[in-house]
Amino acid sequence: SGSSTTSVVGLALLPVFAAGAWLGTVRLIPAMAPLLERAGIAGVDLNKPGSTKKIPEAVGVVCGLVYLVTLFLYIPFHFDSFLLNSDKRDDFPHEKFVEFVCALLSICCMIFLGFADDVLNLAWRHKLWLPTVASLPLLMVYYVNVGSTWVLVPPFMREWVGGETINLGYLFYVYMSMLAVFCTNAINIMAGINGVEAGQSLIIAASLVILNIVLSFMGQSDHHLISLCLLLPFCGVTAGLLRFNWFPSSVFVGDTFCYFAGMTFAVAAILGHFSRTLLLFLAPQTFNFVLSVPQLFKIVPCPRHRMPRVNARTGLLEPSVVEVPLKSTSSLGLWCIAVARMVGLVRVVESTDERLVVTNFTVINTVLTIAGPMHERNLVMCILFIQVVCSVVALALRFGVLFV
Amino acid sequence: SGSSTTSVVGLALLPVFAAGAWLGTVRLIPAMAPLLERAGIAGVDLNKPGSTKKIPEAVGVVCGLVYLVTLFLYIPFHFDSFLLNSDKRDDFPHEKFVEFVCALLSICCMIFLGFADDVLNLAWRHKLWLPTVASLPLLMVYYVNVGSTWVLVPPFMREWVGGETINLGYLFYVYMSMLAVFCTNAINIMAGINGVEAGQSLIIAASLVILNIVLSFMGQSDHHLISLCLLLPFCGVTAGLLRFNWFPSSVFVGDTFCYFAGMTFAVAAILGHFSRTLLLFLAPQTFNFVLSVPQLFKIVPCPRHRMPRVNARTGLLEPSVVEVPLKSTSSLGLWCIAVARMVGLVRVVESTDERLVVTNFTVINTVLTIAGPMHERNLVMCILFIQVVCSVVALALRFGVLFV
Ligand SMILES: [Mg+2]
Ligand SMILES: [Mg+2]
C-alpha cells in the first residue's frame, strides 16, 4: 500500500500543528502555573542558594493536554481524502487510524498516571505494572497489523546466531511492553537539574524525527510517517516547556512530563518499527539506569534525592553523596562501590572504619566527579552535549546498517 | 456481518471482568483513600452536624483506573478468535476494534480532565470545550463506520415532519459532540448528598445494560454488544464505589467520577446508536439542568454550593437558599423566580422590599420543598426512586416505539 493512505495535505499541515502546539504550550503554562501553585503542587529549587520561592511542579500536565488536543485536531486532516470524498469512505484505512488512536490512548494513560503520581505519590509497584497494561492495546495493534517478530541481527552477531534475521516470537512482545516501562522510568531518573528532562527529551525527539524523515524517503514510508506525526507535535510542546524550564527554571516538569515523554518515545518506536534502534538513542538514559541499579534495588543505600547539591559559597554544583555504613551493607554492595570507583564512575569522599561516604550512582554525578564542580547551566549543557553525541552516533549506526 | 465479529468466549467472560472490576474497586479504594487525604484532596461532610473528619475526595480516580485496566485486559478476549487463529488474522475487524479504542480514549481523557479539575479547579471555559475535543475521534469513527445521520421521528411528530425518518446531516454530529459535554456536566450538577452521583449513575448504567441486551437479542447485535462491553464493567466499578459512598459516606466521588460517568454514557450511546434515547434515561438530569439554567447563567444569583443544608437540631435536610437583592437582579431573573415559584419548583422563604430569599434551583431542593425536610438517606432514596421510574418509562417508550 505504501504511502497511499497518508494525506499530502495532512503532512503539509503537520509543521503548522507542531507550531500551534508550541504556541499553545507557551500561552497556557503561565495561565495554569498559578493553579498548580494554589493546589500546593509546588516546591523550592534546592540548587538556588537562599531562594525560598515556590516553583510550580507537574507542569508537564499542560504539555500533555496541549499535545492530546493537537493530535485530536490533526487526525482528521491526516485522513482528509477519505473523509471528504464519500466514494473513498468504504476504503477508509482503519488499520492506520487505529494505530493513531492506540498510540494516543497509551500516551493519555501515562499522562494521567504521571499526574496522579505527582499529586498522590504512587507506590513503585503501580508505576511498574500500569505502563505495561497501558501498552496492551498497542501490542494488539502491532500483532494484528505487523505480526512479524523477525528482527535483523547486528553484523557482529550474525555468525553466532547463524543468520541475518532471527524470530524472537512472543519474547518480542515482552520486549515491547518492557520498553514502555523502561522509557517512562529511564527519563524520570535522569532528572533533577534545571532543563535536563525537557532538554534531553527534545534532543531525542528531534533525532527520531530525522530518523523517520530519512527512512520514509527511503521507501518504508507509512509506518515512519505515523511515527513522525506523533513526534513532531511532541517537539512543539517540549520546546514550549523548555522555554520556562531552562536555567533558571520558573516551572518544574514533574513525573507527568517524564512519563509522557517516555511513553511517546516507546509508542513512536513501536509504530515506526524501530523499537530496538530506540535504545541507541536512549544510550545515556540506559547507562544511567544500569549505573543506578545498585541504588534502585537498595544494594547500596539510596537517599530520597540523588541530584547534585549546590555549594552555597562557590555557587557551583557538586556531586551529592550517600553515607554507606560498613556493617549493614552487603559484600555485593561493597563490591559494586569498589568496581564503580575503579572505573571512575563514583568517588569515595570519606572512608573510616565504620562508614564510607560515596557520590551517588547517577550519570549527572559522574560528570561532576570527573569534570569537577560546575555551574548548573554548564552541567545541563554538558549532559545535553552527551545526548547530542549519542543521537548522532545512533543515526550513523542506523543508517550504516542499512547500507552495509 | 451481524454478530460474526463478537467472540462468544469474550461475552461469556464479560460478567467475570465486571465482577473483577467491582472487586478491584472495593480493594483499591481503602488503599488509595489515604493517598488522597495526604495530598489534601479531602473535605468535611457539611451535612453531618458536628463532624470535623476530613473525607477523601476525587475517589472516582480509583474507579477510572480500575475501569481502564479492566477494559484493556478484556479487549483481547473480545477478539480472541481473530488473535488465536492465524488464518483469521487478515480478517481482523479493525472497524470494531477502533470503536473500543476510541471509546476508551474519550473516557480516559475525561477521567484525566476530571482529576485535573478536582486538583486544580479548572475554569468553566475549559470544562466546555475539552469534552468536545475529546469526542472528536469518536465522531470520526461514527462518520466512517456508520455515516447515517437519518433518525427516526417520534410518532407524534411524523405528520409535521412529513415522514418516518429525517436526515439531520452535520447537525447530528454537532448533537453528538454536545451530548458529551452535556452528560459530563449534567451528572456533575445533580450532586452534593451522600451516594447520589454514584447511585444515579449505577441505575442509568443498569438500565442501558438492559436496553442493550434486549435490543441485541432482537437482531441489531454488533453495536449493542460493544455498548454492553463498555457499560457492564462501569456498573462493576460504580457498585464498588457506592459501597463506600453510600450514606454515611466514607469517600466522596469528585468531579472525576461525574465526568467519567457522563462520558461513558455518551460514548456507549453513540456506539450503540441510541444517542437520542439516552436523553430519556437522563430525564432527571436534563430537568435538573434546565431548572439550573437561571443560576448557571447568573440570571438568578448562584451561591458556591447549592446542595441542601442540614438542620442541626432536627438532623433533617432542608433546601438551601440564596439571597436575591431586588435592585441588582434583572427583570428576567425575577420572572424566572416567579414562574418557578408558581409551578412549585422553588419556595420564597422571605420577602422584603430589598430582597427575596429563595430556595436554590435544583431538583434535590425541589424534592425537599415539596415533601418537606427529610433525612439524608431518605432524600437520596427519593432521588434514586425518581431515577428508577424515569428509566422504566424510558425502556417502555423505547421498546414501545419498536413495536408500534
Ligand atoms: Mg512522584
Ligand atoms: Mg471542580
Side-chain angles (χ1 to χ4, degrees), chain A residues 117-118 121 127 255:
Chain A
D117 193 11
D118 274 325
N121 281 309
K127 296 193 208 180
D255 294 340

Side-chain angles (χ1 to χ4, degrees), chain A residues 65 152 195 275 279 289 308 348 401:
Chain A
L65 266 179
L152 215 59
S275 56
L279 287 189
F289 177 77
V348 175
V401 167

Side-chain angles (χ1 to χ4, degrees), chain B residues 27-211:
Chain B
R27 287 283 189 85
L28 214 56
I29 285 179
M32 284 192 59
L35 296 183
L36 287 160
E37 232 181 301
R38 208 165 53 205
I41 309 169
V44 172
D45 191 337
L46 298 174
N47 283 332
K48 303 291 178 292
S51 168
T52 54
K53 194 172 160 271
K54 287 239 173 186
I55 291 179
E57 278 169 18
V59 173
V61 74
V62 181
C63 302
L65 265 179
V66 173
Y67 179 80
L68 289 173
V69 168
T70 306
L71 271 153
F72 283 172
L73 296 175
Y74 169 72
I75 290 174
F77 290 95
H78 193 83
F79 296 102
D80 67 343
S81 57
F82 298 93
L83 298 176
L84 295 176
N85 186 339
S86 54
D87 292 345
K88 286 179 76 181
R89 203 161 62 178
D90 290 339
D91 303 329
F92 186 79
H94 280 102
E95 71 286 356
K96 290 292 154 201
F97 178 53
V98 80
E99 291 190 347
F100 265 111
V101 184
C102 279
L104 290 184
L105 180 57
S106 295
I107 293 170
C108 182
C109 279
M110 288 314 294
I111 299 172
F112 171 41
L113 186 68
F115 188 59
D117 192 12
D118 274 325
V119 175
L120 304 176
N121 280 309
L122 299 177
W124 257 100
R125 57 182 184 284
H126 298 136
K127 296 193 209 180
L128 289 182
W129 66 263
L130 283 172
T132 318
V133 175
S135 66
L136 261 184
L138 201 70
L139 297 190
M140 239 181 100
V141 158
Y142 188 88
Y143 178 76
V144 172
N145 280 5
V146 186
S148 165
T149 52
W150 288 87
V151 300
L152 215 59
V153 177
F156 64 91
M157 285 171 70
R158 280 181 192 165
E159 198 155 329
W160 178 66
V161 171
E164 283 191 19
T165 56
I166 183 172
N167 188 2
L168 293 179
Y170 72 90
L171 282 179
F172 193 54
Y173 292 93
V174 174
Y175 167 74
M176 285 192 291
S177 89
M178 282 177 59
L179 188 68
V181 183
F182 172 75
C183 288
T184 49
N185 288 296
I187 306 264
N188 205 16
I189 61 172
M190 185 125 156
I193 53 174
N194 288 182
V196 79
E197 303 94 340
Q200 66 183 314
S201 300
L202 184 59
I203 294 168
I204 296 168
S207 327
L208 296 178
V209 162
I210 295 170
L211 181 79

